[in-house]
Amino acid sequence: MIIAVDGPTASGKGTIAKAIAAHFQLPYLDTGLLYRAVGKQVWLNDGDPDNAKDALVATQFPDSLFDNPDLRNEETGGLASRVSIHPEVRSALYERQREFAMQEGGAVLDGRDIGTIIVPEADVKLFITASVEERARRRWLEMQDRELEITLVAIEQDIVARDARDINRKDAPLRAAEDALVMDTTSFDKDQAIEAAIEAVQSQLDR
Ligand code: DC
């Protein structure tokens, strides 16, 4: 059973995908982390994230980079969004994601193009959204918890910029697959969103 969970930044798709994986006892891959690792590696190489060649070189990052706590910060998220525009980067990361998805027993993957490009044949596709204001609020609370200093306005601006880049890029833009179930979690708290998503997956499987 392969479950694709896509959606914009800070929509809660990661939390939902992880909970689905735990509930259905499936391995889970956060594909954003791959793009974040490339973004961080470009920075470590003193490269330019907007340059396709520099970004492609950075796809050779060592796996130890996954342990770097910087990977989850806003700055790396911005770098990830920039390197993810290059088709060369997307194809360099394709096989790794595809292999993970096709492992025996299935998997849960979250990202931007899982249901459209990486695994169009996924058994269940969810597209998680929430308003920009709500996504900014959630991200801000998360940053507060981690004692990172950033204003709500700065986060909101960053989310708008990243949405624009993710939606408007030519290669594999962020969009819901035609057969995806779109879930707007703006008015849900975390537990409600998880419960609704698990129910949605179960009902898709029962059909
Ligand atoms: O989900 P995230 O915020 O960790 O993703 C960071 C960036 O990586 C996002 O702005 C766009 C890119 N990304 C992508 O292009 N395709 C994916 N499947 C996952 C992430």
Side-chain angles (χ1 to χ4, degrees):
M1 171 167 70
I2 305 172
I3 303 175
V5 183
D6 289 303
T9 191
S11 57
K13 65 182 184 321
T15 306
I16 287 174
K18 241 178 270 163
I20 290 174
H23 182 86
F24 293 98
Q25 298 191 333
L26 291 168
Y28 161 65
L29 180 66
D30 169 2
T31 65
L33 220 47
L34 302 176
Y35 290 91
R36 285 170 180 266
V38 177
K40 185 70 191 174
Q41 188 64 49
V42 168
W43 184 86
L44 291 169
N45 292 350
D46 269 334
D48 173 5
D50 302 321
N51 177 289
K53 222 166 144 194
D54 286 2
L56 181 62
V57 168
T59 60
Q60 301 295 325
F61 62 83
D63 277 3
S64 58
L65 193 55
F66 290 128
D67 300 328
N68 189 320
D70 286 0
L71 241 51
R72 309 236 173 229
N73 70 25
E74 287 300 285
E75 221 175 350
T76 310
L79 289 168
S81 175
R82 286 161 70 186
V83 296
S84 72
I85 281 182
H86 307 300
E88 296 87 342
V89 169
R90 306 202 70 83
S91 49
L93 298 179
Y94 173 85
E95 214 41 62
R96 189 167 184 158
Q97 297 173 77
R98 182 80 195 161
E99 252 172 45
F100 190 92
M102 301 313 285
Q103 65 186 289
E104 219 181 303
V108 180
L109 289 86
D110 85 48
R112 302 289 188 291
D113 60 343
I114 309 303
T116 50
I117 307 282
I118 305 294
V119 211
E121 73 272 43
D123 300 288
V124 182
K125 298 180 188 178
L126 297 183
F127 190 86
I128 314 294
T129 65
S131 69
V132 169
E133 296 75 18
E134 176 58 16
R135 287 190 279 140
R137 195 187 66 86
R138 290 177 191 167
R139 185 50 61 88
W140 183 74
L141 287 173
E142 206 181 299
M143 296 288 156
Q144 294 281 299
D145 271 354
R146 290 164 55 196
E147 294 181 3
L148 295 172
E149 292 237 351
I150 184 158
T151 66
L152 187 59
V153 174
I155 292 184
E156 207 170 301
Q157 284 170 349
D158 184 58
I159 285 181
V160 169
R162 277 171 60 187
D163 278 359
R165 246 190 328 255
D166 292 351
I167 291 166
N168 296 319
R169 69 172 174 236
K170 276 207 201 79
D171 196 24
L174 168 68
R175 64 175 177 81
E178 265 168 33
D179 51 349
L181 188 91
V182 179
M183 261 184 69
D184 187 330
T185 68
T186 305
S187 60
F188 293 174
D189 67 22
K190 186 174 151 189
D191 290 343
Q192 288 170 327
I194 288 173
E195 201 183 315
I198 289 174
E199 256 172 42
V201 171
Q202 193 58 57
S203 70
Q204 297 268 97
L205 291 174
D206 292 343
R207 283 203 321 193

